[in-house]
Amino acid sequence: MILTVTLNPTLDKFYWVDHLPLSLERVEEEIVIRALKSSTSAGGKGINVSIFLAAHGVDTVAMGFLAGHTGQIILRDLLSRDVTANFVWIEGESRTNVTILEQGKEYHPVRIHEEGPEVPHPAVDVFLRKYERMLARAGYVVLAGALPPGIPDDFYRTLVQSAKLRGVPTVLHTGGDPLVEAVQEGPYLVKPDVREELRFGDMPLRTEEEIIRAGRRAVECGVKACLISHHVTGDILITSDGVWELEAKVPLTTFKNLVGADDALVGGILVELTRGAALLDAVKYGMAAAVATAEVEEKLCLDKAAIERELDHVVIRPKGGG
Amino acid sequence: MKAHELMRRDLTAVDLDTPVTRVIYLMDQSGLTSLPVVDEEGRVVGIVSERDLIRAALPGYLDMLQSASFLPSVNQLARRLGEIAHEPIAKFMTREVVTVRPDDGDFHIADIMIRKGLKQIPVVDADGHLVGVVRRIDLLHRLKP
């Protein structure tokens, strides 16, 4: 079973529009933008990974905090997708994240993210108890996404520590200070979330050299593998055995929605690892899943045949000096 | 159809020391009419239903009379609920839990539900860990023509 932790789940709301006004500061009293279509689904990075895994027949349990009416919708959506849910209910309302995709500019979505409800201390204790119990049944743990208000920056570090004590490998998919903190405990795989900032702690991630330097520092902390986005269709994998460049040879014009691509990448890697694949093969499958996801309008591509087709477009090259 | 195909994969459960007030909150939030109670290892050791909570809040003789019409007012119920609000649920739960296994069939589950008058049954694995819940509506929904 793969346990995913999403501390700040979201109801993802997507709107597809044919045109967005260049400016919202026109003299009209209001601007009406009619959506060509919309979709709603349970979200948050760990939840997306769970949805991907469940669609691939991998047993998965999603954990975190849910609140209010929005939390009920998130739970219902997860259960309908065969994801096992083990959430702690708190006061307030789970957040809703809105993404607006303009036709022809899907690579540049407009996103509105809510902060999410504050997590009270007693709820954190309940969560930790549940987490410890679930670790006994977990093959991997995925810690993913931003922290909600009320959760300290070193919380993922605590969760990595607990998993490590029980011999459960962790996959860390987050950014900012929570990432820097948790890396100190040597999780198995790290996929920094660089959507908001091209940094890994105090290290910039703009150039290939900077990415490799940051990855190597993570490996020095005991991380088995660090996978960092280099550009839209390329990642760099850094392990203690070497450095590899992954490239998807597909035109950017085929991309329709990039929002869930990183989560499909993590999900794809885990699908293959649970099948016993070697890390490089697993990362290749993950990359194919990310590309297939970017090529569909839905947040995640759950079509195995489409992912298999993308495998031919993914190239892995060892980098010199690795 | 097997239990694992029917069940709601919701592991919402409470601990033995969860206070009554939290249990009521969770039932309201989750929409479940009863909640499994689990031990430190996550094994199902009890179940608490709305009925258990009402029974805990009512004077014992009303249960025998099967009627609340002898209550002078609902204030008595509210006061008693207030008194037990922070008590651990272990005091009020039903300890004889009826559970099914993931590979148990729909007929077996339906039979237990009807015979024992249960609204939902926890599904547990070989170690007694909660893996889901089958509600009456899950059976009805899956079995509808």
Side-chain angles (χ1 to χ4, degrees):
Chain A
M1 180 272 284
I2 294 179
L3 183 64
T4 68
V5 173
T6 310
L7 298 170
N8 203 0
T10 167
L11 187 66
D12 279 333
K13 185 89 193 174
F14 287 85
Y15 293 103
W16 284 266
V17 301
D18 62 359
H19 177 68
L20 271 177
L22 285 173
S23 167
L24 297 177
E25 293 172 356
R26 291 185 297 176
V27 292
E28 289 91 334
E29 282 189 355
E30 62 179 33
I31 297 168
V32 177
I33 303 166
R34 297 204 182 278
L36 297 170
K37 63 175 186 170
S38 65
S39 83
T40 306
S41 62
K45 293 196 152 295
I47 281 177
N48 289 343
V49 172
S50 267
I51 290 171
F52 186 92
L53 292 170
H56 280 75
V58 178
D59 190 16
T60 179
V61 176
M63 292 189 75
F65 301 96
L66 288 177
H69 178 63
T70 311
Q72 298 273 13
I73 302 171
I74 292 169
L75 175 65
R76 196 179 169 94
D77 190 44
L78 280 176
L79 297 177
S80 74
R81 295 168 185 267
D82 285 340
V83 173
T84 300
N86 193 357
F87 286 86
V88 178
W89 287 92
I90 57 174
E91 298 286 347
E93 197 69 37
S94 289
R95 62 186 179 147
T96 299
N97 286 351
V98 175
T99 303
I100 305 170
L101 295 147
E102 185 179 1
Q103 269 191 340
K105 295 181 185 172
E106 289 86 353
Y107 55 88
H108 195 190
V110 174
R111 306 183 74 175
I112 303 169
H113 284 197
E114 292 181 3
E115 195 176 26
E118 170 128 9
V119 180
H121 194 70
V124 175
D125 291 341
V126 174
F127 173 85
L128 287 172
R129 226 160 151 179
K130 281 174 176 267
Y131 178 72
E132 288 291 337
R133 279 181 196 143
M134 294 312 298
L135 279 180
R137 303 193 224 170
Y140 285 91
V141 176
V142 179
L143 307 169
L147 302 183
I151 297 289
D153 278 348
D154 64 354
F155 196 65
Y156 279 146
R157 183 175 190 164
T158 306
L159 301 187
V160 175
Q161 259 173 358
S162 299
K164 216 171 175 181
L165 279 174
R166 289 187 177 255
V168 184
T170 46
V171 176
L172 186 64
H173 182 24
T174 188
D177 291 340
L179 169 73
V180 177
E181 283 279 347
V183 160
Q184 309 305 316
E185 297 300 324
Y188 173 77
L189 172 67
V190 171
K191 174 80 180 81
D193 180 7
V194 293
R195 286 174 302 167
E196 289 185 18
E197 209 180 13
L198 284 171
R199 299 190 74 80
F200 189 151
D202 59 353
M203 306 180 80
L205 298 173
R206 287 181 303 267
T207 66
E208 199 175 285
E209 292 72 30
E210 288 171 346
I211 288 171
I212 294 171
R213 196 178 309 131
R216 284 196 171 131
R217 191 188 281 183
V219 169
E220 282 166 17
C221 291
V223 172
K224 170 80 177 167
C226 189
L227 186 61
I228 304 179
S229 293
H230 185 210
H231 48 79
V232 178
T233 55
D235 280 11
I236 294 177
L237 176 71
I238 304 107
T239 76
S240 56
D241 298 327
V243 179
W244 288 266
E245 185 179 20
L246 292 99
E247 191 183 357
K249 294 196 172 293
V250 288
L252 291 180
T253 48
T254 61
F255 289 172
K256 293 180 178 149
N257 185 351
L258 291 165
V259 170
D262 260 5
D263 307 331
L265 172 61
V266 173
I269 292 171
L270 285 165
V271 165
E272 284 301 292
L273 287 177
T274 53
R275 287 175 185 160
L279 180 63
L280 274 183
D281 293 331
V283 170
K284 185 175 182 184
Y285 188 82
M287 191 82 173
V291 172
T293 288
E295 289 179 340
V296 296
E297 288 191 330
E298 295 79 20
K299 187 174 58 180
L300 294 166
C301 174
L302 305 176
D303 178 356
K304 291 171 210 162
I307 296 170
E308 298 276 342
R309 284 195 296 274
E310 293 302 337
L311 275 172
D312 291 340
H313 300 137
V314 179
V315 178
I316 301 186
R317 287 184 292 266
K319 288 202 73 68
Chain B
M1 197 173 281
K2 306 283 189 190
H4 68 84
E5 298 166 284
L6 284 167
M7 68 186 186
R8 183 179 155 95
R9 296 171 184 272
D10 185 357
L11 306 188
T12 302
V14 292
D15 298 327
L16 287 158
D17 60 356
T18 303
V20 167
T21 183
R22 175 78 188 165
V23 174
I24 294 170
Y25 172 77
L26 277 175
M27 281 181 173
D28 181 41
Q29 289 286 318
S30 65
L32 296 169
T33 56
S34 65
L35 291 172
V37 184
V38 295
D39 66 9
E40 275 303 313
E41 304 300 319
R43 287 184 295 256
V44 177
V45 292
I47 193 155
V48 58
S49 65
E50 291 166 335
R51 187 183 167 83
D52 292 326
L53 293 171
I54 292 167
R55 189 181 289 141
L58 287 173
Y61 64 85
L62 285 177
D63 199 37
M64 285 188 290
L65 294 170
Q66 300 260 309
S67 167
S69 60
F70 292 87
L71 269 179
S73 77
V74 79
N75 292 344
Q76 194 175 337
L77 182 64
R79 191 173 62 248
R80 175 70 182 137
L81 268 178
E83 286 168 7
I84 64 169
H86 301 291
E87 300 263 10
I89 203 60
K91 285 179 73 172
F92 310 107
M93 69 182 192
T94 300
R95 289 179 185 274
E96 287 169 21
V97 200
V98 178
T99 60
V100 293
R101 299 286 289 276
D103 283 331
D104 285 343
D106 48 13
F107 183 77
H108 173 67
I109 298 167
D111 178 50
I112 293 175
M113 279 184 160
I114 293 165
R115 276 194 295 112
K116 298 192 179 284
L118 301 173
K119 289 183 179 174
Q120 57 192 47
I121 301 181
V123 184
V124 298
D125 66 13
D127 298 319
H129 294 131
L130 181 67
V131 294
V133 175
V134 178
R135 304 168 302 171
R136 290 196 293 210
I137 191 64
D138 298 319
L139 268 174
L140 291 168
H141 179 65
R142 294 297 179 113
L143 298 177
K144 73 178 188 299

